[in-house]
Amino acid sequence: MLLNLTLSTIVIALFLLVNNYGKNKHALCVSLFLCIVSLYGLTHYFVLFGHSAFWLAVFYNHFTPLYLLLGPFLFFYVRGVLFDTECISKKDLLHGIPAVIQFIGIFPYIMTPFATKLDYANLIITDFNNIIFLNLNLFYNADISFLIRVGLFLVYILYSIYLLLRHLPEIKKQGLVTIKQFTLSVRWLWVLVSCSLVITVYFIVMTLLSFVSTPEEAFNNSYWLHLASGIAYFVMTFSLLVLPEILYGMPKPLIVSRDEPEEEMQQIPIASSLPLNTNDPMLALSEKIIDYMENEKPYIDFNFSIASLAFHFKVPQHHISYCINSVLDTSFYKLRGEYRVKYAIQLLKEDTKMSLTMEAIGEKAGFSTRSNFYKTFKEFMGVTPLEYAHSLERQSAEKGNPVKKAVT
């Protein structure tokens, strides 16, 4: 069970990591947090339940410097969501000092021949109690090393809880985040820190019990603690699958004042097929996105992306994602595809249309390939571009205005 849960978490964490790399920095922090938690879970499994000396030798002790980054990544994530920031400053690098010290401490072990590591692994498999006698760190023994890791993590969890208690009422009072997104984010943050707290308390109690008895006895007498930590681990991981919107955090409008009067802002042309959440504080930015799409036509560039919009408006990418997904109630790919198809239709209707091939029209509308042009066009219009062009020919002929045949 633990192995399957841990492997599932790794898949989810890597998926989040790939999809948020360079886009949403505070979501990137929670992805890295889950990756490290997964490594911790795998090591825990091979130490307690695994019977493979090879895999135990691979995971045991090698990743302990990363475990000391669990607390910092949790803190960076909570801080990023609360204050809607996505930058880690040079000062934040100080949080990595314990990890550096740990790496120095285990460096001789890292350089140890793998055959020796297999011997250590076999000792643990033979008798779990041997783990407290394996002093593989230059600075402290196994028990102290473990207690330092979970103790520091507990400090970061408690500080994150302090930040939530202190700043959430203020954020709610400001009214810069919709009630729905605020409630969703608050619940997720409390789930994250609460589950982390349960898992950390479990490890701390296990360590303290091993001081007064043996590691094996401590493990055998802690069934309910194992169950509670497993449930917490499951809830923390799969909340992201059930409620992906939590990755938007609590985006707050950077453009809080409008240059135009309220009544003029409502006159910005908005695509008729796009519903608009007019009660969202991010409405102003959403309207500016639509205005930019309508008037500047950035979508005709093959490389047009969410990053392009974020660069143009000088806002974080997760602000753009939130505006498109939550305020405009669509996706970036649908939005871009709709505007490209509308522009292609405009080209098809122009008098000079028949001098262009379908491939050329697709390229002018921003499609990188003919197949992508045809596929997207049919998704929105129900027919291919060529079929649409033929329908224009028939309509024109019925009106007595013959045109050239469409070029395929």
Side-chain angles (χ1 to χ4, degrees):
M1 178 64 181
L2 176 61
L3 181 61
N4 292 333
L5 181 58
T6 304
L7 292 176
S8 300
T9 304
I10 289 177
V11 172
I12 295 171
L14 291 177
F15 177 79
L16 291 176
L17 191 63
V18 170
N19 281 273
N20 289 285
Y21 181 77
K23 297 179 182 179
N24 188 343
K25 296 299 189 300
H26 61 246
L28 188 61
C29 286
V30 80
S31 304
L32 292 171
F33 173 81
L34 288 175
C35 283
I36 298 174
V37 168
S38 303
L39 284 175
Y40 211 133
L42 280 176
T43 304
H44 192 62
Y45 171 80
F46 287 117
V47 169
L48 295 177
F49 308 110
H51 301 288
S52 169
F54 174 82
W55 287 111
L56 183 55
V58 169
F59 282 93
Y60 185 69
N61 207 38
H62 286 103
F63 300 106
T64 50
L66 292 178
Y67 304 155
L68 288 163
L69 295 177
L70 278 172
F73 279 129
L74 176 67
F75 163 65
F76 295 152
Y77 177 70
V78 171
R79 182 186 65 182
V81 173
L82 283 177
F83 303 115
D84 195 28
T85 59
E86 57 173 21
C87 297
I88 297 178
S89 65
K90 292 182 179 179
K91 186 178 179 180
D92 288 330
L93 297 178
L94 296 175
H95 293 275
I97 290 177
V100 173
I101 294 174
Q102 176 70 12
F103 176 77
I104 295 172
I106 67 168
F107 186 75
Y109 173 78
I110 293 175
M111 303 306 295
T112 300
F114 193 73
T116 304
K117 296 175 183 177
L118 285 174
D119 292 337
Y120 292 145
N122 282 313
L123 282 174
I124 297 173
I125 293 174
T126 302
D127 185 356
F128 180 55
N129 294 319
N130 286 329
I131 198 169
I132 63 175
F133 302 112
L134 297 178
N135 297 323
L136 305 176
N137 191 302
L138 293 175
F139 306 123
Y140 26 70
N141 59 34
D143 281 342
I144 299 301
S145 176
F146 192 82
L147 197 57
I148 289 174
R149 293 202 300 271
V150 294
L152 281 176
F153 190 28
L154 179 61
V155 170
Y156 278 100
I157 293 172
L158 294 177
Y159 186 68
S160 297
I161 292 174
Y162 163 75
L163 288 178
L164 292 177
L165 292 173
R166 179 180 177 182
H167 294 286
L168 283 177
E170 180 183 349
I171 294 172
K172 184 177 182 179
K173 184 178 179 181
Q174 290 173 345
L176 297 178
V177 184
T178 60
I179 295 297
K180 177 183 177 181
Q181 191 66 26
F182 176 81
T183 303
L184 191 67
S185 298
V186 168
R187 289 176 180 174
W188 158 242
L189 289 173
W190 280 117
V191 165
L192 180 62
V193 296
S194 299
C195 290
S196 299
L197 182 61
V198 170
I199 294 171
T200 306
V201 169
Y202 159 71
F203 282 120
I204 289 177
V205 172
M206 287 286 293
T207 304
L208 294 177
L209 288 177
S210 68
F211 284 159
V212 299
S213 57
T214 64
E216 187 171 6
E217 290 176 349
F219 174 75
N220 292 333
N221 296 327
S222 306
Y223 171 77
W224 292 108
L225 282 173
H226 303 318
L227 181 61
S229 65
I231 293 174
Y233 189 25
F234 175 84
V235 170
M236 178 177 64
T237 301
F238 287 92
S239 293
L240 289 167
L241 291 180
V242 178
L243 298 169
E245 298 90 348
I246 58 184
L247 290 177
Y248 296 135
M250 293 187 285
K252 304 176 185 67
L254 300 182
I255 308 172
V256 294
S257 61
R258 299 183 176 187
D259 297 330
E260 305 88 347
E262 182 73 20
E263 58 273 16
E264 291 183 10
M265 286 296 294
Q266 299 303 323
Q267 299 303 315
I268 291 178
I270 296 175
S272 59
S273 60
L274 293 175
L276 194 66
N277 182 359
T278 56
N279 296 320
D280 198 295
M282 299 294 283
L283 174 64
L285 178 58
S286 303
E287 289 175 331
K288 289 178 183 293
I289 291 173
I290 294 298
D291 186 39
Y292 179 58
M293 297 287 284
E294 293 277 356
N295 297 315
E296 301 298 328
K297 299 179 175 53
Y299 49 84
I300 63 175
D301 182 353
F302 294 156
N303 299 316
F304 176 63
S305 65
I306 290 183
S308 306
L309 286 173
F311 179 79
H312 175 78
F313 289 106
K314 296 180 174 57
V315 298
Q317 288 192 38
H318 69 277
H319 282 207
I320 302 295
S321 296
Y322 176 82
C323 286
I324 293 174
N325 289 272
S326 296
V327 184
L328 301 178
D329 195 24
T330 184
S331 69
F332 172 75
Y333 298 102
K334 287 183 179 179
L335 182 69
R336 182 180 63 183
E338 179 176 349
Y339 274 106
R340 284 177 172 173
V341 168
K342 286 171 61 178
Y343 189 68
I345 290 173
Q346 179 184 331
L347 293 175
L348 286 168
K349 289 181 176 180
E350 289 177 353
D351 292 338
T352 58
K353 62 183 180 304
M354 297 315 174
S355 63
L356 296 172
T357 64
M358 288 296 149
E359 186 173 358
I361 289 175
E363 288 179 357
K364 281 182 171 291
F367 293 100
S368 56
T369 64
R370 178 188 175 99
S371 61
N372 183 244
F373 174 39
Y374 269 62
K375 178 183 176 182
T376 306
F377 195 98
K378 190 167 185 177
E379 284 178 1
F380 283 96
M381 303 303 297
V383 294
T384 66
L386 187 59
E387 290 170 340
Y388 187 84
H390 287 157
S391 71
L392 291 178
E393 292 174 14
R394 289 192 297 270
Q395 292 174 16
S396 182
E398 290 172 358
K399 294 178 181 180
N401 298 316
V403 295
K404 298 179 184 178
K405 293 293 184 181
V407 183
T408 59

